[in-house]
Amino acid sequence: MNSKVMNLIDAVREIPDGAEIAFGGFAITRSPVAFACEMIRQNKKDLNIYQPIVCMATDMLVGAKSVKKLSYGGGSLDRFGRMERINEAFENKTIDAREFSGLSLTYRFLAGSLGVPYIPTKTLLGTDILKNLLDKKDESVMISESPYGDGEKYVFMKALNPDYAVIHAPYADEKGNVLIDGPVWDLELAKAAKKLYVTVDQIISNEYIKMHPEKVVIPNVYTHAVIEVPYGAYPTAVYKMYDYDSDMLTKYAKTNKKQEDFDLFIDEYVTGTSNHNEFLEKCGGISALNKLKADPVYGYKKVWGDKYE
Amino acid sequence: MNSKVMNLIDAVREIPDGAEIAFGGFAITRSPVAFACEMIRQNKKDLNIYQPIVCMATDMLVGAKSVKKLSYGGGSLDRFGRMERINEAFENKTIDAREFSGLSLTYRFLAGSLGVPYIPTKTLLGTDILKNLLDKKDESVMISESPYGDGEKYVFMKALNPDYAVIHAPYADEKGNVLIDGPVWDLELAKAAKKLYVTVDQIISNEYIKMHPEKVVIPNVYTHAVIEVPYGAYPTAVYKMYDYDSDMLTKYAKTNKKQEDFDLFIDEYVTGTSNHNEFLEKCGGISALNKLKADPVYGYKKVWGDKYE
Amino acid sequence: MINMSNSKFTTNELMAVTASRLLKDGQNIVVGLGLPQVATLLAKSTHAPHLNIIFEIGVVNPESVDTGVGIADPRLWYRSDYFTSFIGSLGHILQRGLVDVGFLGGLQIDKFGNINSTGVHEKDYFRHINGSGGAADIASYSKNIFAIAKHQKRKIVDMVDFITTVGYLNGGATRENSGLPKCKSIRIITNLCVMNFNNQLREMQIESVHPGVTKDQIIENTGFDIKFAGDLKETDLPDDNEIYLLRNVIDPKKLYI
Amino acid sequence: MINMSNSKFTTNELMAVTASRLLKDGQNIVVGLGLPQVATLLAKSTHAPHLNIIFEIGVVNPESVDTGVGIADPRLWYRSDYFTSFIGSLGHILQRGLVDVGFLGGLQIDKFGNINSTGVHEKDYFRHINGSGGAADIASYSKNIFAIAKHQKRKIVDMVDFITTVGYLNGGATRENSGLPKCKSIRIITNLCVMNFNNQLREMQIESVHPGVTKDQIIENTGFDIKFAGDLKETDLPDDNEIYLLRNVIDPKKLYI
């Protein structure tokens, strides 16, 4: 009760096979890579993942055959490439993929985090996204008429309070107050989850929070576990902390094109290492990390032109 | 388009008699007193006011006979006293008073600000608040069953996008990005309004906002007008800027007990002055204001014990 | 520690201590100003250091050092962990189901735990006094409701003049039947006794009587035929540490105690 | 100013300029990466300095100085006015009805302006490529939809393989009949022409043809029998200032133009 601090291995152990999990992260930013790698090391199976926009960690989990069902609103590795492990699993039907839009899936979390049964919205109407969800009898969606007699049609996005959520943030205190600079697309899913796990690059004092409460985006009432994993989102970016590693993302976007290449990658980098520090060593270690240090004003690695490089 | 800056007199002129207005402020904090006083000077009539928790400005408008209908969730002048002008108008039925709870009325604004038709909630069920609203056939509320066949009952709080909203904030830039330190109970109504008027103590540069985007709680897309009125919430408090004036609030809480005393107060302080600076002079001027300066850490006037007073 | 029997305490101090002991460590509490806040801060200073305190105005876990006049007073926001909106506090936290105890006051409380904070019937009109604020919301969604009140015939009544916040409505399962979420327990702490609703009818009953208070005193000051629990107890005495903290740390200006 | 006839420009530059001129000052734009962003920044640097730029990820009015790889790249968040959540950007701003233009890309666009960004039918399977992201939401709620696309037979099609985002659905009033809010206008800017849907059927038609492009070229590169507007125009030429800004200020590394 005193402290919500856990270590990564124990935290991941709490998550059973088949767990219903919402993931934070967005493409190449704040992806909970360290958490996902540890899930792969612990050989989690049959996960039921929800994520408004998928990120690198999710593609890894799908490629590692940890995922049974994925509800998501699309996503890519930005210009580095595509979510090829997800795309292939989708095409081969090796996972049960349920496609949404970013907003519609987030509404399930908003409803869950507000304690209301659903949010009535018009988004998805007319799309094949909705058609497919209705065909699959996905419980998320229901079409209904306005109760005000104006003939308006709505999609009810049903509240979802996932058993677990996993997000990565730069900082939290040991009580579980979470600080994030920049956009917070994953706020609603974090607040909806029954157990929120937050990997952070650094655990900071509550005293800092008392001085800067405006920086807290998730107060401790939502947080189940705070897990300190420096560079826990590497090779994706954490705004104001470190940049994404273009070299490593380029490499990943090559290996994720074919399952056999991906498997070799996982063998070497994930199951071939016993923790995130070893993973970081494998990826280039301190010298790779030093190149990513974010400028405190720009929030990413600022390149000063040839003469400084 | 370039700038959303207006002066107070012109801004208030835009608001017609009978206007539907949501008010910010909460009891003795960030009450838009300067705006309300100017409305009284311009002799606005038949206003239709919505406010989750009423503040001093609202009691003044009701006492000045500017209000025809008030939908609110209660409120007081904290330990200074009660909203006696509102209470008397409620009792004498000189206004159409519709009572809600703070959350339920705020849900009307949340729905409006989200562009959804209503929010289904359980709050108000079983209360005499709901009973009265249903008896009055208030459009805000409708009782309905869960669409999921689980027999659950909900109150649908209908979306409201009021024609106008008026809030007070310490700072905004001329584009209409609004900064508020501390709690922001009035965020939803600000985002729901068709035209948001923000009185601010100071207009600051957009450059400051670029350095501290995390301090912006209302981005400029919502803002219709930014009106610089230093001490525009006086005698109520603006966190980190100035404290409430206990003397003045004590005086107000005496005068608002009886209509004749209140009328004398308005004659002297409001209609007897031509602008907010004159109002401030009447209330004690610079020497009164100097006593209220908030300590930058504590956020209110810190009293350092007898030896410093 | 000093021997307990040396303690002298006021009734307000006893109420604060009694309420404080009902709070458990780690709970999330939505609390109003006055004795509820004093009791919560005392719990936090003693057996429950990890309470999370939430004010409906949008303030989480402040550590005030000066006494304020209400939750709109910035004195009560000092050293907060988090600031949010009404929806943030009463929606995303309270209605989300994360609040263990909603700690309220009120003008009247009735035998089914319903609370009136709106107004009272006078001879020929309804005198409007305050309104719900967040109280109706808090009582709808908190897992447990605590209230502190003065024990007077016109305040502890058979039926409140106006149901601002629902306790057990008309008793039994009527609260749930109205559509509201279940409420695990309601506790009323007065200057005479502690009351609960731990029976099938969900009807108010005396759980413990404050030291020196007689059953007759309670009966006389209650607006209906109040029941006494089978296992009626005497309220535990405050200890010296609690009294010390109340007087010297939590409410040194004696605004509430 | 330099004489316009001296300008040489690429097709991408023409597309960016053409799209940019369709934006009006003071509008709120939800925009994706690539040419849409380039066009929006150009408008902001010329005739529309008070555009508000919104990224679905939760970023408002950034002023980037470095080119990013996508909206998740912190390079695109530099000097923002405001950061928010998905609900903050696509709920409270977009669905609230405050977005004048949703500016999208896509794999395929069909004759009723529906856009596919999910995947395409291959011989014996559906090749999944990306998905909606915020695109379905943006097309549902923006007052106007702009899209930039390559003009190829397999991209400008009779019917998209998958309706990720609804334009005019099956034409006429079918969009509104499906329950969606009205869409005032859709504009498609390609490397060959600008297309609108300003007719009763809400069917794609050529509004203006880029200089040097022939009708036959357009017909050949369109996957269905495309119509030409009665008042068919030639697309206006970029001016030197626009070309200067594109090359030297907005995309000096020529990542998109």
Side-chain angles (χ1 to χ4, degrees), chain D residues 70-184:
Chain D
I71 56 170
D73 187 334
R75 278 157 192 75
L76 292 194
W77 311 344
Y78 182 52
R79 285 176 61 80
S80 291
D81 281 349
Y82 178 63
F83 292 128
T84 185
S85 70
F86 231 92
I87 295 295
S89 59
L90 296 190
H92 290 290
I93 297 178
L94 172 73
Q95 186 174 292
R96 163 76 174 77
L98 299 179
V99 171
D100 298 292
V101 179
F103 209 154
L104 302 169
L107 303 167
Q108 295 177 320
I109 302 176
D110 72 19
K111 73 170 167 204
F112 293 119
N114 305 303
I115 304 177
N116 172 12
S117 52
T118 299
V120 290
H121 285 303
E122 301 287 349
K123 257 175 293 180
D124 48 2
Y125 74 110
F126 183 78
R127 185 155 76 96
H128 195 264
I129 294 175
N130 197 327
S132 159
D137 313 309
I138 293 165
S140 297
Y141 283 105
S142 296
K143 291 176 194 159
N144 302 278
I145 301 170
F146 291 178
I148 291 189
K150 275 205 179 144
H151 213 125
Q152 299 173 348
K153 238 182 165 58
R154 59 190 188 89
K155 284 182 173 279
I156 309 293
V157 298
D158 190 49
M159 265 181 72
V160 289
D161 291 357
F162 188 96
I163 301 181
T164 313
T165 78
V166 178
Y168 291 117
L169 203 52
N170 302 309
T174 53
R175 175 190 167 101
E176 292 83 341
N177 292 344
S178 81
L180 282 174
K182 281 197 178 163
C183 173
K184 285 190 203 166

Side-chain angles (χ1 to χ4, degrees), chain B residues 128-139:
Chain B
D128 285 335
I129 300 173
L130 182 60
K131 188 171 166 293
N132 281 353
L133 290 169
L134 291 170
D135 284 351
K136 289 176 184 174
K137 303 196 190 314
D138 194 290
E139 59 148 19

Side-chain angles (χ1 to χ4, degrees), chain A residues 29 72-73 75 78-79 87 91 99 101-103 107 121-123 128 153 183-185 188 243-244 300 302, chain D residues 57 66 69 72-73 75 77 84-85 87 95 125-126 128-131 133 137 141 162-164 177 179-180 256:
Chain A
T29 286
Y72 74 123
D78 281 333
R79 284 170 75 94
N87 284 338
E91 288 158 15
E99 201 164 346
S101 67
L103 180 65
Y107 269 145
T121 175
K122 286 181 166 294
T123 204
D128 284 336
K153 239 183 268 176
V184 280
W185 60 84
E188 288 84 12
D243 215 329
Y244 52 82
Y300 52 88
K302 183 68 183 160
Chain D
I57 197 171
D66 289 297
V69 299
D73 187 334
R75 278 157 192 75
W77 311 344
T84 185
S85 70
I87 295 295
Q95 186 174 292
Y125 74 110
F126 183 78
H128 195 264
I129 294 175
N130 197 327
D137 313 309
Y141 283 105
F162 188 96
I163 301 181
T164 313
N177 292 344
L180 282 174
Y256 304 106

Side-chain angles (χ1 to χ4, degrees), chain B residues 22-37:
Chain B
F23 263 76
F26 189 122
I28 55 156
T29 286
R30 282 204 292 106
S31 177
V33 173
F35 200 99
C37 286

